[in-house]
Amino acid sequence: MTTFSDPPPASGPPNQPFNLGMLINDTRYRGYTFQFIALIALIFFFGWLVSNAIYNLAALGQDINFSFLGQPASYEIDQTLIPYTSTDTHMRAAFVGLLNTLLVAFLGCITATIFGVLAGVLRLSKNWLVAKVMSVYVEIFRNIPVLIWIVIISAVMSQALPQPRAFRGEDATATMVLWDSVAFTNRGVYIPAPVWNPGSGIVVAVFLLSIIGIFVFRRYAKNLLFNTGKLLPVGRISLAIFFVPTLLAFFVMGRPIGLDYPELGGFNFRGGINIRGTLIALWFALALYTGAFIAENVRAGILAVSKGQTEAAAALGMRPNRIMSLIILPQALRVIIPPVISQYLNLTKNSSLAAAIGYMDLTGTLGGVTLNQTGRSFECVLLLMLFYLLISLSISALMNLYNNAVKLKER
């Protein structure tokens, strides 16, 4: 009778004593050996680069020194999220530039997602005109460099919008909008600024809890639908959770949050918040440009879902918007999210083009004025690389967590 047994290992019996020759001859260790050799070679290569840079700097009479970060910056920054003056240090100027970069990246990613999802869905519309208009938007913005769009939008804002003096006098040629609370000028957009009075913290806390409550309710409604088939009016209840608790807290606390409206005084507006035109131009140029690429990712994700599922949902009497939100998009996300992560990273790195229109982001402060004033090019470029690396890795990590949360899971 023939018997079968497991084949012997590829490299000798399992009880064979270990020797150095097994690192090359034994397939169990050979891969680790080559990886270790490659790691050592890579470490030596980067060590050679660093030592070569230090030697060349020493030959030029320079050393690697970051003490310049504690010196006064001696330059102004027009758009700041935190208090800053020209007497502050280069470190604070770099931090202001970092916050400006994060602001543009945050606003741009949100707006680009909205533009991209709308354009991607509407490009598949059965309405011929709507589909063609979205196709024109995608093709135009994808095939023209983003720097050109930044310059165009900045030029339009500076030339087409009126000067502040146009709002002065009885024969003013420009007027404020939204009950005289918002002014669009060539120096930026002026909007009301919140005034935080005692008790405003409670209202803000209720507002944040309301947002958390919306996510909790939507998850509950989704589980209820999948488990029992009962469909709740998610949209109306979500709006109620968003507005009602915050409004009740606002009036119960005696309306502690007020508004400081911009008013024309002298040669410019005073009060309120001034959103500089350079910020708006950079924001919308990056959002429109990146949104065109996200639209194609969304369209590819939707087309990846089998038409049979759409037809089956329609046969059950589901409305088109329900089919899109409950059937198509949840499955399309596994195709959409990975390339969208790359688009978010590209948008963040493209924000460094802000120097073309004078917006002081991280590249404009640390990699621009600070570098030119101090002459510490190696240190400034090294810090720039470190900051952008940390920002990109953080965005990638957060989006990968979201990707793991929404991907299809087998039961």
Side-chain angles (χ1 to χ4, degrees):
M1 185 176 73
T2 304
T3 59
F4 298 92
S5 60
D6 294 333
S11 300
N15 295 327
Q16 180 180 358
F18 177 80
N19 58 77
L20 294 178
M22 296 174 63
L23 294 177
I24 300 297
N25 300 324
D26 197 325
T27 57
R28 292 174 297 175
Y29 306 108
R30 186 183 303 160
Y32 296 107
T33 302
F34 290 149
Q35 292 182 47
F36 180 75
I37 294 174
L39 177 62
I40 296 299
L42 189 63
I43 292 175
F44 275 103
F45 175 72
F46 280 105
W48 175 80
L49 288 179
V50 173
S51 63
N52 189 44
I54 295 174
Y55 175 79
N56 291 331
L57 288 174
L60 296 174
Q62 299 181 6
D63 59 345
I64 299 178
N65 193 335
F66 293 92
S67 61
F68 70 94
L69 294 174
Q71 300 173 1
S74 303
Y75 62 90
E76 297 288 345
I77 300 177
D78 52 6
Q79 184 80 52
T80 63
L81 296 178
I82 59 175
Y84 170 82
T85 63
S86 59
T87 58
D88 289 328
T89 62
H90 286 291
M91 174 66 78
R92 189 169 183 84
F95 186 67
V96 171
L98 175 62
L99 292 180
N100 287 344
T101 297
L102 293 177
L103 175 64
V104 171
F106 177 75
L107 296 176
C109 288
I110 293 179
T111 312
T113 302
I114 296 174
F115 290 160
V117 171
L118 290 177
V121 173
L122 293 179
R123 195 173 181 187
L124 297 174
S125 173
K126 296 181 180 179
N127 187 308
W128 182 86
L129 180 60
V130 172
K132 291 303 179 182
V133 169
M134 291 298 103
S135 298
V136 170
Y137 156 69
V138 170
E139 296 302 328
I140 287 179
F141 276 89
R142 285 180 66 197
N143 294 288
I144 296 179
V146 63
L147 178 60
I148 296 179
W149 289 117
I150 294 174
V151 175
I152 289 175
I153 296 178
S154 178
V156 168
M157 291 197 62
S158 61
Q159 299 297 327
L161 294 179
Q163 298 181 2
R165 65 184 181 184
F167 293 83
R168 182 185 293 111
E170 297 180 356
D171 56 345
T173 58
T175 57
M176 302 177 68
V177 298
L178 297 178
W179 304 283
D180 293 336
S181 62
V182 179
F184 292 89
T185 73
N186 61 351
R187 298 183 183 179
V189 179
Y190 295 85
I191 62 175
V195 179
W196 309 102
N197 297 314
S200 58
I202 298 178
V203 179
V204 174
V206 172
F207 174 72
L208 296 177
L209 291 175
S210 299
I211 295 178
I212 297 174
I214 291 175
F215 285 101
V216 173
F217 166 72
R218 294 179 72 90
R219 179 178 291 273
Y220 166 76
K222 182 179 179 180
N223 293 333
L224 183 66
L225 175 63
F226 290 166
N227 295 331
T228 65
K230 184 178 180 180
L231 182 62
L232 298 177
V234 176
R236 286 177 291 178
I237 297 179
S238 297
L239 287 176
I241 296 175
F242 184 82
F243 287 106
V244 173
T246 304
L247 291 176
L248 288 177
F250 178 76
F251 287 106
V252 168
M253 297 304 298
R255 295 186 291 185
I257 303 177
L259 292 175
D260 178 23
Y261 291 93
E263 296 180 354
L264 186 62
F267 296 98
N268 205 348
F269 281 89
R270 298 177 180 176
I273 298 176
N274 179 19
I275 305 177
R276 306 287 296 187
T278 52
L279 170 60
I280 298 176
L282 181 65
W283 167 15
F284 277 94
L286 292 176
L288 290 170
Y289 179 79
T290 309
F293 289 89
I294 294 178
E296 288 297 276
N297 298 333
V298 172
R299 186 170 71 97
I302 293 175
L303 293 176
V305 180
S306 173
K307 291 185 178 180
Q309 300 194 38
T310 305
E311 296 171 352
L316 294 175
M318 296 183 67
R319 297 192 299 270
N321 59 337
R322 292 290 182 184
I323 296 175
M324 178 61 67
S325 61
L326 297 177
I327 304 298
I328 299 177
L329 282 182
Q331 299 181 77
L333 284 176
R334 61 179 176 177
V335 179
I336 295 173
I337 295 299
V340 167
I341 297 176
S342 298
Q343 297 304 325
Y344 286 168
L345 297 177
N346 289 336
L347 186 149
T348 304
K349 290 178 287 188
N350 286 336
S351 66
S352 60
L353 297 172
I357 57 174
Y359 179 72
M360 298 295 286
D361 67 334
L362 184 61
T363 304
T365 55
L366 181 61
V369 182
T370 296
L371 187 150
N372 292 326
Q373 284 187 356
T374 62
R376 294 288 179 174
S377 57
F378 183 83
E379 293 89 338
C380 290
V381 172
L382 188 64
L383 289 175
L384 271 179
M385 294 171 58
L386 178 61
F387 282 135
Y388 277 109
L389 178 63
L390 292 177
I391 294 172
S392 299
L393 290 178
S394 300
I395 295 174
S396 180
L398 291 175
M399 290 303 299
N400 282 326
L401 289 176
Y402 178 72
N403 186 37
N404 292 331
V406 301
K407 70 180 182 180
L408 296 179
K409 300 179 179 62
E410 298 181 359
R411 295 182 181 272

